[in-house]
Amino acid sequence: MDMIPFPCSLSIDCGSSGLFTEGSIKWIGDNDLIQNGESIVVVNATSGVPQAMTTLRVFTTRNKNCYSIEEAGKGTRFLLRASFYYGNYDNKASPPIFDLQFDGNHWVTVTTSMDTTVIYEAIYVAKGDTISVCVAQTYSDMFPFISALEVRTLTPTMYSEVDTNYGLILRRRIAFGTKEIVKYPEDNYDRIWFPATNSGIFTEATSDATTITNNLDDDPPSQVVRNAFIAPNTSTAIVLRSNLPLNIEVPIYMNMYFSEVVKLDSTEERSFEFYIDDVVVSDPIVPPYGKVIQRYLKNFSASSNTSFSLGATSNSTLPPLINALEVFTITDELTDGTSADDVEALHELQKKFDTLQGWRGDPCLPSPFTWDWLNCSTDATPRVIALHLSGYDLSGSLPDFSSMDALEAIDLHNNSLNGSIPDFLGTLPKLKTLNLANNDFSGAVPSSLSKNTNLKLIVTGNMDLCTSDKSCKTTDTNTNTNTNTNTATDSDSGSSSNDSPSKTKKKKKSNKLPIILGPSAAALVMFFVVLGSLAKLHQKRKSAAVAAAATTG
């Protein structure tokens, strides 16, 4: 997909080619943004489903498929939201499960629903200038898809209580006392605040203050902090549901917002405390009238079995209240991504070869979801250690990718690459296998490759490549002097890749003697030199015998 410039807000209707406005949100289609995947109209969409959910893009090929956004801004805090509406689009009645990722980090395992929109949201600070959102196949019979992708810019101070090396995954965002969903334009950052369900126990109240001053960094919208749930009496606690994973404790971050809804007289007091598993963990909370305050919980691990509640203090004359709640899980430490040297070199390959341009996102992360034609190391900052590009319909000369200096194997056979074999290939310090068979390379083999006794070099099927004639000279990359080419024979020229994108490549004329230049070359050369010497000696002796016979006759 082509990179797209980053605005303050980006809403992508996946699988759509149109441009439309829904509510206050302007949506763009993704047909011009991604090369892979199939655009689908969900004909089984139920009534009331937003327009953006009536199309999707499904991916039936590749390890992972990514949307990438360039010039996003390193160090910028983003809100990413991905939406999935299955709607039985394939008539299989089998909602798929697959992985969702951002910037090389695991986001969540997506579990879709037959006829309900599933939404996932992440907040984090970008470590690079490009951000990516990827879906990855985790079950062979379940194809990833995506209905919508939204990107929003947050201010640097929002959610800044969390270390920027970690991200937040939304579990619950609730507005107590509201009747409808609150989002943009009421929320400047397009966070979605769902109304809390009232079982009938709580009083739903709206502040009678003319204005509510909000100086909080996280900037909750006024429609959210103006409304509240109030417990029926001071003996009843407000239990806060967290929607955390079942029986698994995870690190969490929790935001709670409080604003008094009425102006209290001198005889009234509303004071309450925050409890975890019936243990007080906060100072008394006294909501201000006409203002909003925030209390948060961090550096704490919890599960769905953990109890969170608000209970009145002993001297409070009024029961506890709450206006809004956000619950997040905290990610593992965010990765810096694949080595910048390797990413730069891969970008050069993609600029040169159109068939490689569809791969986006981090090349190596998260493991094991590397690009289909790469192998990567398991280092904290992964390195690309192998390129598997057999049969990828590559043509023309090779660009310089020498910065990919951790490469151990390069397979480029069965393409249409031409020109001379680049000298930089001989400078790769860890290279052990280089398969250039069945291309259109010409000229001499660089001596940095032919003389490398630790390298298996395969050059079969390059009809114009000079490998054995005495007049053929190889290029010495160190001294630029010429030496004779070492030669050897072997029948292994490599086979076509089953996963290559081009299966119609014209079959090339093969050499009668396949060629492998490698550790055995020197021994074979010595064998043929000795054999030639013996043949010449035999011929001389035979000629002398014939001459002697002629003289005596």
Side-chain angles (χ1 to χ4, degrees):
M1 121 183 178
D2 294 332
M3 294 292 193
I4 53 180
F6 180 76
C8 294
S9 178
L10 180 66
S11 301
I12 303 172
D13 180 19
C14 303
S16 168
S17 60
L19 174 66
F20 65 93
T21 299
E22 190 168 34
S24 300
I25 304 297
K26 293 182 178 180
W27 293 87
I28 63 172
D30 71 343
N31 279 4
D32 296 330
L33 305 178
I34 193 165
Q35 296 176 350
N36 202 31
E38 180 184 359
S39 176
I40 300 288
V41 175
V42 185
V43 296
N44 300 319
T46 57
S47 61
V49 172
Q51 182 177 345
M53 296 298 108
T54 60
T55 60
L56 60 83
R57 184 170 294 274
V58 62
F59 303 97
T60 58
T61 61
R62 299 185 185 172
N63 198 4
K64 65 181 176 184
N65 287 270
C66 303
Y67 290 83
S68 293
I69 300 169
E70 195 178 47
E71 299 178 2
K74 182 178 181 179
T76 302
R77 194 179 303 272
F78 291 104
L79 181 153
L80 304 181
R81 184 159 55 237
S83 301
F84 307 86
Y85 180 78
Y86 172 60
N88 197 26
Y89 77 89
D90 55 3
N91 295 314
K92 294 181 178 180
S94 180
I97 299 171
F98 48 88
D99 273 7
L100 182 63
Q101 306 159 357
F102 68 92
D103 291 6
N105 301 282
H106 175 73
W107 182 344
V108 69
T109 296
V110 176
T111 302
T112 58
S113 171
M114 180 69 75
D115 55 8
T116 301
T117 301
V118 177
I119 301 173
Y120 296 95
E121 183 182 302
I123 294 174
Y124 76 108
V125 175
K127 291 199 170 190
D129 291 326
T130 300
I131 63 176
S132 64
V133 175
C134 309
V135 290
Q137 187 172 13
T138 52
Y139 296 94
S140 60
D141 58 343
M142 293 186 178
F143 297 124
F145 73 89
I146 186 168
S147 302
L149 174 62
E150 299 168 85
V151 183
R152 310 288 185 245
T153 305
L154 304 181
T155 65
T157 57
M158 294 179 72
Y159 304 98
S160 57
E161 291 295 332
V162 178
D163 190 317
T164 57
N165 288 313
Y166 298 85
L168 296 173
I169 307 301
L170 181 68
R171 302 295 302 193
R172 195 166 191 241
R173 182 181 286 121
I174 295 295
F176 295 92
T178 60
K179 299 299 184 182
E180 298 178 348
I181 291 174
V182 177
K183 57 179 302 185
Y184 184 82
E186 286 76 20
D187 188 313
N188 291 330
Y189 309 98
D190 195 29
R191 291 167 294 186
I192 301 176
W193 304 80
F194 289 94
T197 301
N198 190 351
S199 60
I201 297 176
F202 302 104
T203 300
E204 297 178 10
T206 300
S207 176
D208 58 17
T210 304
T211 59
I212 298 177
T213 302
N214 179 5
N215 294 321
L216 300 178
D217 288 338
D218 291 343
D219 198 13
S222 59
Q223 288 82 351
V224 166
V225 298
R226 180 171 288 280
N227 299 284
F229 271 11
I230 304 176
N233 52 61
T234 56
S235 300
T236 303
I238 298 177
V239 177
L240 306 175
R241 292 190 299 110
S242 62
N243 194 34
L244 292 173
L246 182 65
N247 299 325
I248 301 175
E249 288 198 348
V250 291
I252 70 168
Y253 177 71
M254 180 182 291
N255 272 341
M256 295 168 284
Y257 302 95
F258 306 99
S259 179
E260 182 58 72
V261 294
V262 296
K263 191 171 182 62
L264 306 183
D265 62 34
S266 59
T267 64
E268 296 176 308
E269 180 178 350
R270 193 187 309 274
S271 174
F272 49 89
E273 296 164 316
F274 180 51
Y275 289 76
I276 299 179
D277 292 334
D278 299 324
V279 176
V280 175
V281 294
S282 76
D283 294 331
I285 300 169
V286 180
Y289 177 72
K291 297 181 180 180
V292 59
I293 60 173
Q294 175 183 7
R295 295 293 182 267
Y296 53 83
L297 174 67
K298 65 177 183 177
N299 299 326
F300 185 81
S301 293
S303 71
S304 60
N305 296 326
T306 307
S307 171
F308 303 100
S309 60
L310 301 169
T313 60
S314 58
N315 60 338
S316 180
T317 63
L318 298 173
L321 65 74
I322 186 170
N323 303 81
L325 170 71
E326 293 178 288
V327 181
F328 301 90
T329 54
I330 300 176
T331 68
D332 293 335
E333 186 171 1
L334 300 178
T335 177
D336 290 327
T338 299
S339 163
D341 288 340
D342 291 348
V343 172
E344 179 183 355
L346 291 170
H347 185 52
E348 290 301 314
L349 283 169
Q350 291 184 305
K351 284 196 301 183
K352 177 68 176 180
F353 304 117
D354 290 343
T355 56
L356 304 183
Q357 291 180 5
W359 277 268
R360 290 290 183 254
D362 191 281
C364 295
L365 294 172
S367 179
F369 299 104
T370 62
W371 290 358
D372 296 37
W373 40 279
L374 303 179
N375 283 353
C376 299
S377 70
T378 58
D379 302 328
T381 300
R383 298 300 310 270
V384 176
I385 58 175
L387 294 178
H388 302 288
L389 289 170
S390 170
Y392 269 74
D393 202 22
L394 309 182
S395 60
S397 60
L398 278 176
D400 188 341
F401 53 90
S402 56
S403 63
M404 213 178 301
D405 55 12
L407 280 171
E408 299 175 7
I410 300 174
D411 185 358
L412 296 170
H413 83 279
N414 286 352
N415 285 294
S416 299
L417 297 167
N418 58 32
S420 60
I421 296 176
D423 288 348
F424 77 80
L425 294 172
T427 69
L428 298 174
K430 298 184 179 180
L431 193 62
K432 299 176 182 177
T433 301
L434 176 59
N435 190 344
L436 303 176
N438 298 331
N439 279 283
D440 296 317
F441 287 113
S442 59
V445 178
S447 61
S448 58
L449 295 173
S450 63
K451 292 183 177 181
N452 186 346
T453 58
N454 296 316
L455 175 68
K456 180 180 181 181
L457 174 62
I458 308 173
V459 293
T460 305
N462 291 275
M463 299 301 295
D464 297 324
L465 190 66
C466 186
T467 57
S468 59
D469 293 340
K470 291 183 179 181
S471 61
C472 176
K473 303 294 183 181
T474 61
T475 302
D476 191 321
T477 57
N478 294 322
T479 63
N480 291 324
T481 59
N482 294 328
T483 58
N484 290 333
T485 302
N486 294 328
T487 63
T489 62
D490 195 298
S491 60
D492 179 15
S493 62
S495 59
S496 303
S497 169
N498 292 331
D499 298 327
S500 64
S502 173
K503 298 182 183 296
T504 60
K505 176 176 171 60
K506 184 178 180 181
K507 187 175 182 182
K508 298 189 176 190
K509 187 183 295 183
S510 298
N511 287 336
K512 293 183 179 180
L513 292 178
I515 301 166
I516 299 180
L517 302 181
S520 61
L524 288 172
V525 169
M526 290 301 298
F527 171 77
F528 285 117
V529 168
V530 172
L531 185 61
S533 298
L534 292 175
K536 289 181 179 180
L537 180 60
H538 176 72
Q539 184 64 32
K540 287 181 178 179
R541 289 178 176 175
K542 182 177 179 181
S543 298
V546 170
T551 301
T552 57

